[in-house]
Amino acid sequence: MKVGILGAGGMGNVHARQYAKMPDVELSFFDPDAERTDAYVKQWSVNPATSVEDLISRSDIVDICLPTDLHEDLSLQAIAAGKALFVEKPLAGNLAACRRIIDAASSAGVTLGVGQVVRFFPEFETGNRIVKQGGVGTPAAARTRRGGGAPSGKNAWFMNHSRSGGVILDLAIHDFDWLRWTLGEVKHLYARSVGATTGTGPDYALITLTFDSGAVAHVESTWMDPNGSRTTFEVCGSEGMIEWDSRTNAGLRTKTDGPEIRETPLAPMDDPYYKELRAFVDAVRDKTAPPVTGEDGFMAVSIALAAIHSAKTGEVVVPERL
């Protein structure tokens, strides 16, 4: 299978590392920044493409890891060429763009997947399974927390919320997707956010979701944590409760003179990003539905945009459904 990655930076590197483990994948790469392209090619021994068009023409799957505001145009270009498409979350920055991508993929008969990788983390995968199998009874309340320091990206694009959507669209979207996958559709929500009102810089948000089932979830998401990265979740139901906290898990931490190094005890093929991308490659090969569909990507964006609107207006908002 020939896979082409559009975009270097953090996520492009993450994806390349996982594809490199797959003996049946031939990897190509293109980034508009020639300097990053050269560094990337040396690091991963991938095939450099000369342009977006060149990368698309030589690929069976196009994997988009560029900033959110570039997703729509590149996605439509890949789909028009008949290529399967994997888009790093969020699918796009607005719902109209999400619809155009989904409709184009459907009309062209190409496989569309979205990078909502939290579903593949073992703790979140297990939590979902326990809840769905009735391990805590009828779910009543959930809480998630995700955050750390502010990312920057090339030209600090994350800090420009008109490009990234801020912490709600770029980060909290992970938890919106997991909660929807676990608890069902969101009926309405209410949010407060620092960045939603400023439109730039670090951000902190609190969002309360009410589901069709009556369950309630509280989502905390931040790019302003002075204590570094932390991820947690808990789900409480009529028969019990489950919880997880990244600061108390069995991960490996090394501290010397430099920054703290965190390592996972997972085997290489158990890495969540490997499992996510391997599942998509297999879906394309087998002509089956991917684990995270374009429709899932749409709903995660819809919840995030509803939360941004609520944070700006102070209103309770109903997320739009596909």
Side-chain angles (χ1 to χ4, degrees):
M1 188 75 69
K2 296 179 180 180
V3 177
I5 297 178
L6 282 172
M11 197 51 62
N13 275 301
V14 170
H15 285 198
R17 185 180 302 117
Q18 306 311 321
Y19 286 125
K21 301 174 186 177
M22 305 179 194
D24 58 337
V25 166
E26 178 183 332
L27 192 58
S28 298
F29 167 78
F30 178 76
D31 189 280
D33 186 322
E35 185 175 319
R36 293 206 307 187
T37 295
D38 291 342
Y40 193 94
V41 169
K42 290 176 183 177
Q43 181 177 1
W44 296 111
S45 299
V46 298
N47 302 314
T50 59
S51 65
V52 171
E53 293 76 14
D54 180 36
L55 180 103
I56 291 174
S57 69
R58 65 171 68 188
S59 303
D60 302 309
I61 295 172
V62 175
D63 182 331
I64 297 177
C65 294
L66 287 167
T68 303
D69 58 328
L70 304 177
H71 286 187
E72 181 186 5
D73 288 346
L74 293 170
S75 294
L76 296 178
Q77 193 171 344
I79 292 168
K83 309 298 182 173
L85 179 65
F86 187 88
V87 185
E88 182 53 37
K89 64 78 200 160
L91 177 57
N94 62 78
L95 294 184
C98 289
R99 281 197 173 90
R100 285 190 288 269
I101 295 170
I102 292 169
D103 291 345
S106 177
S107 296
V110 302
T111 305
L112 170 62
V114 183
Q116 297 284 171
V117 73
V118 165
R119 296 191 187 200
F120 297 87
F121 275 75
E123 302 84 3
F124 286 86
E125 192 174 25
T126 301
N128 171 270
R129 184 175 67 251
I130 289 172
V131 172
K132 286 185 173 178
Q133 290 179 347
V136 297
T138 302
R143 184 187 300 270
T144 68
R145 197 264 188 203
R146 183 176 305 275
S152 56
K154 186 173 177 61
N155 298 320
W157 75 271
F158 283 104
M159 295 298 96
N160 180 348
H161 295 190
S162 66
R163 299 193 69 192
S164 70
V167 76
I168 293 178
L169 181 61
D170 190 77
L171 190 64
I173 194 169
H174 282 301
D175 296 300
F176 297 150
D177 177 70
W178 184 77
L179 287 164
R180 175 178 172 267
W181 182 45
T182 303
L183 300 177
E185 300 295 345
V186 175
K187 184 177 181 181
H188 55 72
L189 58 81
Y190 177 78
R192 299 292 289 171
S193 167
V194 174
T197 55
T198 64
T200 59
D203 200 353
Y204 181 93
L206 292 172
I207 307 101
T208 300
L209 312 172
T210 300
F211 295 82
D212 286 350
S213 66
V216 175
H218 180 82
V219 175
E220 179 182 6
S221 194
T222 179
W223 282 342
M224 301 173 68
D225 194 327
N227 295 311
S229 175
R230 185 186 184 196
T231 304
T232 71
F233 76 82
E234 62 184 54
V235 181
C236 302
S238 58
E239 303 297 328
M241 172 181 171
I242 57 172
E243 66 174 357
W244 179 75
D245 188 326
S246 64
R247 289 185 181 167
T248 59
N249 71 354
L252 304 176
R253 300 183 184 184
T254 304
K255 183 69 174 73
T256 56
D257 293 337
E260 180 180 83
I261 299 173
R262 300 188 181 192
E263 299 175 87
T264 173
L266 295 174
M269 304 313 179
D270 289 331
D271 185 289
Y273 289 96
Y274 176 87
K275 291 170 65 178
E276 171 188 56
L277 297 172
R278 182 71 256 182
F280 185 75
V281 170
D282 290 345
V284 174
R285 180 197 62 205
D286 298 337
K287 298 183 179 358
T288 57
V292 184
T293 65
E295 289 74 14
D296 292 324
F298 175 96
M299 287 308 305
V301 171
S302 179
I303 296 167
L305 295 181
I308 292 171
H309 183 68
S310 176
K312 289 179 177 179
T313 64
E315 300 172 352
V316 173
V317 179
V318 177
E320 188 173 335
R321 300 190 185 185
L322 190 62

